[in-house]
Structures are given as structure tokens and as C-alpha cells.
Amino acid sequence: MKKNILFTMFLALVALAVTSCGDKESEGLSRITYYPTIELEGDSYLVWDKGTTYEEPGYTSMMGDEDVTSQVVVSGSVDTNTSGIYTLTYTTPKNEDGFGASTSRTVVVLDPNSAIEGFYLCSADSYRDYNGITPYGRAYEILVIDNGDGTYSVDDLLGGWYCQRAGYGSAYAMEGIISIDGDGTIGLVDSYVPGWGDSADALDGTYDAATSTLTWDVVYTDNPLVFHVILNKE
């Protein structure tokens, strides 16, 4: 019994010694980790006039009290000679634990002198025809971009019905390309709804140059759903 007591006391002393050593070794090793942050100056969504030089509004990056703005890497570019949507991504340096941060800015290049290209409001008088007429009820903003080959990209051929009105998000906008003939006839070149992986069955419409109005009927799904879309240029 005496031997057991002595052995137990010996183990306790060893454990105390190890703990004390561990405490000594860890003294002064605590540290604070600073995570990088980045803030854009100006808006994260810009509309830029075609043909004018793009000027970066700026950004600031900090890591604790250290200004690391000069170490930020900007990827992407803006071609102001070509209408389109451009994305710039700003990435901070990583801290000692390998953590970084990033943000992005969207720049839309548009020709202010174009008769067709630009932002439109889908009229509240637009409607969906499916087991009766359901008006849109309010206006939704739609972007039309001149592709330079007689066709135009439209960010939502459905005029914002699912994307904005129903609140489903951009994946449920019907991205599309239309053609506009000299007499104002609108035809469908291509369309796609990423969220559902399908497209329009047909589109017929007209462009009224006097009022800068685009009007079309989109036939969608086998049900079918018919969207009567009226777009008035802003």
C-alpha cells in the first residue's frame, strides 16, 4: 500500500512539472490576428459613357492599423469603346494566417447617344396572360445593350416578372438577344433562364422610334404563359 501511495505522489509531481513547463513555454506567445478589410470609394455599380476614359474611383484596404491599399490586386478591365457590363475585382493581401478579403465593382458602359441602348422601365401596364390577365402593377428597370451587329442584349425579356416582381433573383431573369429591323420589327435571336434551364418559345414585337418604346409578346413554357412587355426608355 505504501508503494502505491508513493507511486501516485510521484505521478502527481510529474504532471505538475509538465504543466508548469507548458505554462512557461506558452508565456508571451498570445497574439492578435488582424483580418484585412477593403472598402470601395464611390458606388459598386457605375454607368459609364462610351468613348470616355474610365477613372477608378478608388478603394482602401486596412490590416489592423496598417494601410495595405498599395498591395491590393485589381483584376478585370473596362473597355469604354465597347458597350457592355464589366466587373472589376479587388483582392487584399493575405494575413499571416492566410486570410484575405475581396469585393467587386460593376461598370456598365453605354452610348448616351444611342436611340435604343440604355435603361428602360417595364410599364406597370405590362401583363401576364395565363388563365386571365395579371398586370405587372409597377415598373421594373430593364437594361438593353447594343451588341454592335444589329442585335441587342436584354437582361430580362420577361420585364422583371420573376426576377424582380416575384423576388426570385437574377437567376430567374430571361436573358435574351433580340434583333430590330429597319421597320421596327423585333425578332428573337436567343434566350435563356439560368434558374430553370429553359428559354422562350417565341417572341414577336415592335420598336417605336418616336416614343422610344419596345413592345413584345413572349410565349413561355407549354402551358403556355404569354408575357406582354412594354418598355419605355428612361
Side-chain angles (χ1 to χ4, degrees), residues 116 150 152 178-187 205-207:
I116 299 176
Y152 298 83
I178 59 173
S179 61
I180 302 178
D181 296 338
D183 63 357
T185 300
I186 298 175
T206 57
Y207 167 62

Side-chain angles (χ1 to χ4, degrees), residues 1 15 27 40 54 60-61 70 74 91 93 107 114 118 120 135 140 142 144 153 179 191 196 198 205 209-210 212 226:
M1 176 64 71
E27 271 186 20
L40 295 179
Y54 176 70
T60 302
S61 180
S70 62
V74 182
T91 305
V107 181
S114 173
Y120 289 74
Y140 300 99
I142 304 298
V144 177
S153 294
S179 61
S191 66
W196 285 309
D198 55 11
S212 297
V226 178

Side-chain angles (χ1 to χ4, degrees), residues 46-89:
L46 299 176
V47 178
W48 211 264
D49 285 348
K50 184 177 180 179
T52 62
T53 302
Y54 176 70
E55 299 176 3
E56 169 59 45
Y59 47 89
T60 302
S61 180
M62 301 294 292
M63 192 164 328
D65 295 328
E66 181 184 2
D67 188 333
V68 293
T69 302
S70 62
Q71 300 178 50
V72 170
V73 175
V74 182
S75 57
S77 61
V78 179
D79 180 1
T80 59
N81 293 314
T82 304
S83 298
I85 302 174
Y86 300 89
T87 301
L88 299 175
T89 302

Side-chain angles (χ1 to χ4, degrees), residues 2-25:
K2 188 173 182 180
K3 288 183 178 180
N4 288 339
I5 293 174
L6 291 174
F7 183 68
T8 301
M9 292 177 62
F10 172 75
L11 289 179
L13 290 172
V14 170
L16 179 61
V18 170
T19 301
S20 299
C21 289
D23 290 342
K24 289 293 184 182
E25 290 175 359

Side-chain angles (χ1 to χ4, degrees), residues 174 188 191 199-204 216-221 225 227:
M174 181 181 283
L188 179 65
S191 66
S199 58
D201 294 319
L203 181 150
D204 293 300
W216 57 65
D217 289 317
V218 179
V219 180
Y220 180 46
T221 76
L225 305 173
F227 294 85

